[in-house]
Amino acid sequence: MRFIEPVTLRGDVATLEPLQLEHAGALARAAADGELWRLWYTHIAPPDGMPEYVATALDMRERLDAMPFVVRANATGNVVGCTRYFNVDAKNRRLEIGHTWYARSVQRTALNTECKLLLLAHAFETLRCIAVEFRTHWFNHASRAAIARLGAKQDGVLRNHQLMADGARRDTVVFSIIDGEWPAVRQHLRHLLARPRQG
């Protein structure tokens, strides 16, 4: 039995569904909301490259025990982004949450917070992980702030960690939440979701 099995995670604002090939069109439309492929410090496929992006994610699921999800906004039923568990280390009960992106229209809403709550709850309470990692580009300041806002702690910076498609060298900032911190992080995320939202 695999450490990670396909699962649908439902919340009040969002639903995470296992990625399928037929989601490519909906993801292309989500990426077009904000032309997200133009962000130089991350990799989001342009609409015509989305079928290959999805196929690569599904290959990662089969070969590496990853679990990619699409994110559906409950209010509209539209697919608005994707995320995944990956870098899975079943022996040591660790994994990473990443490859996360959202259409511009749902950024800075409760959707990301709820998605992280759903993913972390499943990781710590069902999979019994002892640590969950998050990684992002040094220059992705919005992502770094969002990860810290979740309650994750910065572990360090992997310098010259990866070569980007254009040959640039990526410094990667590593954050994590460990199992002993999860109850406080869960309470914090629930508090964020319960607060009235301004504007």
Side-chain angles (χ1 to χ4, degrees):
M1 183 174 174
R2 294 170 66 128
F3 181 53
I4 297 179
E5 296 289 344
V7 63
T8 297
L9 305 174
R10 291 185 175 86
D12 295 329
V13 176
T15 299
L16 296 166
E17 303 171 7
L19 177 67
Q20 304 294 336
L21 283 172
E22 54 266 28
H23 288 128
L27 286 172
R29 290 188 292 276
D33 178 0
E35 298 186 343
L36 303 180
W37 61 90
R38 298 189 186 278
L39 297 173
W40 70 271
Y41 47 73
T42 189
H43 174 67
I44 299 169
D48 62 355
M50 200 57 74
E52 181 181 355
Y53 180 89
V54 170
T56 299
L58 293 176
D59 178 64
M60 182 183 285
R61 179 172 72 189
E62 295 309 309
R63 291 187 305 106
L64 303 175
D65 205 21
M67 182 50 60
F69 298 92
V70 293
V71 179
R72 193 176 297 277
N74 292 347
T76 63
N78 294 334
V79 170
V80 294
C82 62
T83 190
R84 72 185 73 159
Y85 291 137
F86 69 112
N87 282 342
V88 175
D89 181 352
K91 179 180 178 182
N92 292 300
R93 309 200 79 78
R94 299 177 63 95
L95 54 77
E96 184 176 341
I97 295 173
H99 292 273
T100 302
W101 57 266
Y102 302 108
R104 180 173 290 170
S105 60
V106 297
Q107 293 174 12
R108 302 181 186 278
T109 70
L111 185 133
N112 180 53
T113 303
E114 186 176 69
C115 286
K116 291 303 189 293
L117 176 60
L118 293 168
L119 289 164
L120 288 165
H122 187 71
F124 285 117
E125 297 169 16
T126 301
L127 302 178
R128 299 296 177 189
C129 288
I130 64 170
V132 174
E133 283 188 18
F134 302 87
R135 298 184 179 200
T136 192
H137 195 297
W138 174 264
F139 284 105
N140 194 342
H141 298 292
S143 178
R144 289 169 61 182
I147 293 168
R149 182 174 171 268
L150 296 173
K153 295 182 172 61
Q154 184 173 316
D155 294 322
V157 181
L158 302 175
R159 305 192 62 198
N160 277 359
H161 179 231
Q162 293 176 323
L163 288 172
M164 307 290 283
D166 63 359
R169 297 172 184 182
R170 166 177 153 150
D171 291 347
T172 298
V173 188
V174 182
F175 295 81
S176 68
I177 298 169
I178 59 175
D179 54 352
E181 296 166 343
W182 168 236
V185 170
R186 178 179 56 207
Q187 184 176 18
H188 169 65
L189 294 177
R190 287 174 175 169
H191 172 73
L192 291 177
L193 289 168
R195 290 190 311 182
R197 300 194 68 82
Q198 304 299 318

